[in-house]
Amino acid sequence: MNALISVSDKTGIVEFARALHALGIKLLSTGGTAKLLAGAGLPVTEVAELTGFPEMLDGRVKTLHPKVHGGLLARRDLPEHMAALKARQINTIDLLVVNLYPFEDTVAKPGCTLEDAIENIDIGGPAMVRSGAKNWKDVGVLTDSSQYAGVLVELKESGKLTDATKFALSVAAFNRISQYDGAISDYLSAIQPDGSHAMFPGQANGRFIKLQDLRYGENAHQQAAWYRDLHPAPGSLVTARQLQGKALSYNNIADADAAWECVKSFDAAADGAACVILKHANPCGVATGADALEAYSKAFKTDPTSAFGGIIALNCPLDERAALQISKQFVEVLMAPSFTPEALAVMKAKVNVRLLQIDLPPGGATPWQQGRNLIDVKRVGSGLLMQTADTHELLLTDLKVVSKLQPTPAQLQDLLFAWKVAKYVKSNAIVFCGGGMTLGVGAGQMSRVDSARIASIKAANAGLSLQGSAVASDAFFPFRDGLDVVVDAGAACVIQPGGSIRDDEVIAAANERGVAMVLTGVRHFRH
């Protein structure tokens, strides 16, 4: 058996090659890999010696030769193929170990030039991988060091690889080539005539890996599966570890993502413990507190009815006290960065509750953009809408007070809290807040006035007073009627983007009603 080894990432390759040699497998290699193996005392034949043709063009040409590709592509079950190899003195290559030039890592480096990128486009490696993977029944193709151990187990047990393993390796190899070519296409098709890079490439090549098949989609008659980015962002939902509970459903995943994105926008160090209770893609209760129990208890008060069967996310560890309180309600998914052993013992009795442990992004949530996808994608018919993610972080210094009445420091904090929550509420969004908690949420209405009315109705149903509350509107008030509704309900201060042709009318109404109003200059539509 012959193995050709040519790797850019040399992690574990010496140990793997030594194990192959111990099994009597002849080693072939190229350039730097051959020198590394020879330096480790392993007998290795350089490809240049095999082909009788030296490497040339600074290593650009070394494996593009019939003695390499003939050895990979020849079908062992076809006598004419084997006769052709014999006539031309070509040996079969039974094991191919190749990983590719680090194109993705190169272009990710600040200051990478087009020349750097081009020189890290592998040619011979992908060609060999395709040849070996096409002839999978006869050739085992390894494209990642994580595959070494499993292959060695089979070789030591039976001296060969099973068809199932070789086919799986072939699929992984073609997937790797697809990912590699997609990265090259994305990079090159984003280059502009002046040498700069466009935010959106001329061709978008999605590279996703399936995590699991789902029982069904949004509805029972729909099929579904869950995929992750090839390189997921730290702190994103796909990095979660499920500790217990039923399998996640399509709707569980969609809602859990919305809840997690919202809760991790609160920095535990600066904002305290935060809890988000979400139902049908909208937060129905959000609060901060001294600990998980206080944050959850305040969030639950906003809308106990909607919290039934909801998703709960925390930005802090779940301890026993909070777990005991949460266990009294019906919850579908409970997420936190960690769970104490006592909390896990409490939740163990709720066998169907899905517990997800997710690490917060490095550095927590400051800046809260960390760990978020940079590009959002939405499917529309036979096309895609792509946009940069809404990562705008509003600071106190960004606020523009436009009313005669100045908001107090406490009101400014309530306004910032309300604005942060409104970003995660479906448009049109109106959010009443006070004392670090939501008091009423109006979401997804065609009329902003209706959202305002619904939010006040929700608060009344929960027995919460809106007197002196802060209100956030995700987009501007087009008329004063929406402002009148929230003030009639008890709001004392309002935060909104501004930008309407009737801003003066709305500001005048705020002055007439004796409420403070601040403008953000940005909106947070969420459709």
Side-chain angles (χ1 to χ4, degrees):
M1 183 180 289
N2 298 310
L4 196 162
I5 304 175
S6 180
V7 293
S8 175
D9 178 4
K10 295 176 173 56
T11 302
I13 196 60
V14 170
E15 295 78 7
F16 183 60
R18 185 173 287 119
L20 295 180
H21 173 62
L23 292 170
I25 297 173
K26 183 178 180 180
L27 304 179
L28 312 170
S29 192
T30 61
T33 306
K35 291 179 182 178
L36 178 67
L37 298 182
L42 292 168
V44 58
T45 300
E46 288 209 40
V47 166
E49 180 182 343
L50 172 73
T51 63
F53 199 90
E55 292 186 15
M56 61 183 295
L57 306 180
D58 298 319
R60 285 189 173 198
V61 177
K62 50 192 172 189
T63 58
L64 298 171
H65 193 281
K67 284 203 170 182
V68 173
H69 288 272
L72 290 169
L73 284 165
R75 286 180 54 178
R76 289 23 164 197
D77 61 336
L78 295 180
E80 57 269 32
H81 279 202
M82 301 310 292
L85 292 190
K86 184 176 181 181
R88 293 165 180 80
Q89 297 182 314
I90 298 175
N91 294 320
T92 59
I93 297 173
D94 311 289
L95 203 62
L96 177 67
V97 186
V98 171
N99 54 55
L100 311 176
Y101 291 175
F103 179 85
E104 297 101 324
D105 290 341
T106 298
V107 298
K109 294 176 182 176
C112 173
T113 65
L114 177 59
E115 183 179 359
D116 292 334
I118 293 296
E119 288 306 311
N120 278 277
I121 296 176
D122 204 332
I123 303 299
M128 288 192 293
V129 169
R130 291 178 68 89
S131 292
K134 176 177 179 176
N135 198 25
W136 66 269
K137 287 188 176 180
D138 297 312
V139 183
V141 182
L142 289 78
T143 51
D144 191 271
S145 59
S146 63
Q147 299 165 328
Y148 298 169
V151 164
L152 283 177
V153 168
E154 285 195 19
L155 290 175
K156 289 177 180 178
E157 288 180 349
S158 61
K160 62 180 182 179
L161 300 179
T162 66
D163 282 352
T165 294
K166 287 184 289 187
F167 184 72
L169 290 172
S170 172
V171 172
F174 279 119
N175 286 344
R176 176 64 187 123
I177 296 302
S178 172
Q179 295 158 3
Y180 195 72
D181 288 344
I184 295 170
S185 171
D186 282 347
Y187 178 82
L188 295 180
S189 66
I191 295 178
Q192 302 299 291
D194 63 359
S196 63
H197 282 75
M199 177 64 69
F200 304 101
Q203 176 170 312
N205 301 275
R207 297 184 294 281
F208 302 94
I209 296 173
K210 186 164 73 173
L211 290 174
Q212 66 186 85
D213 288 309
L214 304 174
R215 284 199 304 154
Y216 54 84
E218 200 164 10
N219 299 290
H221 60 276
Q222 296 171 268
Q223 296 180 337
W226 189 17
Y227 289 78
R228 68 163 173 82
D229 282 313
L230 181 62
H231 301 293
S236 55
L237 183 68
V238 296
T239 66
R241 299 175 294 282
Q242 185 167 353
L243 305 183
Q244 75 164 52
K246 297 188 297 185
L248 290 163
S249 72
Y250 181 100
N251 292 330
N252 289 155
I253 294 166
D255 284 348
D257 180 63
W260 183 247
E261 291 299 308
C262 182
V263 83
K264 73 181 185 183
S265 70
F266 293 91
D267 179 12
D271 303 316
C275 177
V276 173
I277 304 176
L278 186 136
K279 187 72 172 290
H280 293 308
N282 281 297
C284 58
V286 180
T288 56
D291 54 23
L293 176 60
E294 183 182 3
Y296 164 74
S297 299
K298 290 167 67 177
F300 184 77
K301 288 179 182 177
T302 304
D303 191 350
T305 301
S306 296
F308 180 86
I311 309 290
I312 298 176
L314 295 160
N315 72 342
C316 60
L318 180 73
D319 58 20
E320 183 179 27
R321 293 172 64 242
L324 286 168
Q325 191 64 27
I326 291 173
S327 67
K328 296 177 181 179
Q329 79 158 96
F330 171 46
V331 56
E332 291 277 3
V333 180
L334 176 56
M335 296 175 285
S338 62
F339 298 79
T340 67
E342 295 79 10
L344 289 174
V346 171
M347 299 310 300
K348 190 175 182 180
K350 302 289 184 177
V351 294
N352 290 328
V353 175
R354 303 160 179 88
L355 296 187
L356 300 183
Q357 182 172 329
I358 315 177
D359 294 332
L360 289 167
T366 305
W368 65 263
Q369 297 98 312
Q370 290 181 349
R372 291 170 182 271
N373 296 323
L374 297 180
I375 300 294
D376 284 339
V377 178
K378 180 180 290 186
R379 186 83 184 186
V380 285
S382 294
L384 292 176
L385 286 173
M386 302 180 71
Q387 65 175 350
T388 56
D390 184 1
T391 57
H392 183 272
E393 182 179 14
L394 187 69
L395 304 176
L396 190 61
T397 52
D398 297 328
L399 299 180
K400 179 182 179 182
V401 180
V402 293
S403 58
K404 294 178 181 178
L405 183 65
Q406 296 289 308
T408 67
Q411 286 177 327
L412 286 172
Q413 292 305 312
D414 282 340
L415 289 170
L416 288 176
F417 179 93
W419 183 251
K420 186 173 289 188
V421 174
K423 178 181 175 181
Y424 296 95
V425 178
K426 297 289 187 179
S427 300
N428 287 310
I430 294 290
V431 180
F432 287 85
C433 294
M437 65 177 285
T438 49
L439 301 171
V441 179
Q445 298 304 303
M446 292 70 76
S447 162
R448 191 162 301 278
V449 173
D450 287 341
S451 288
R453 289 172 177 150
I454 289 172
S456 61
I457 291 170
K458 287 279 190 181
N461 289 342
L464 298 174
S465 172
L466 297 181
Q467 291 304 312
S469 61
V471 171
S473 174
D474 65 335
F476 60 65
F477 287 101
F479 302 96
R480 67 167 291 166
D481 53 357
L483 178 70
D484 284 327
V485 171
V486 299
V487 175
D488 287 343
C493 53
V494 177
I495 185 170
Q496 57 126 333
S500 168
I501 60 173
R502 293 184 174 83
D503 271 355
D504 289 344
E505 175 186 324
V506 177
I507 294 169
N511 290 328
E512 176 190 322
R513 300 299 302 270
V515 297
M517 178 176 286
V518 300
L519 303 185
T520 66
V522 295
R523 74 180 187 201
H524 283 310
F525 273 157
R526 187 176 180 86
H527 293 106

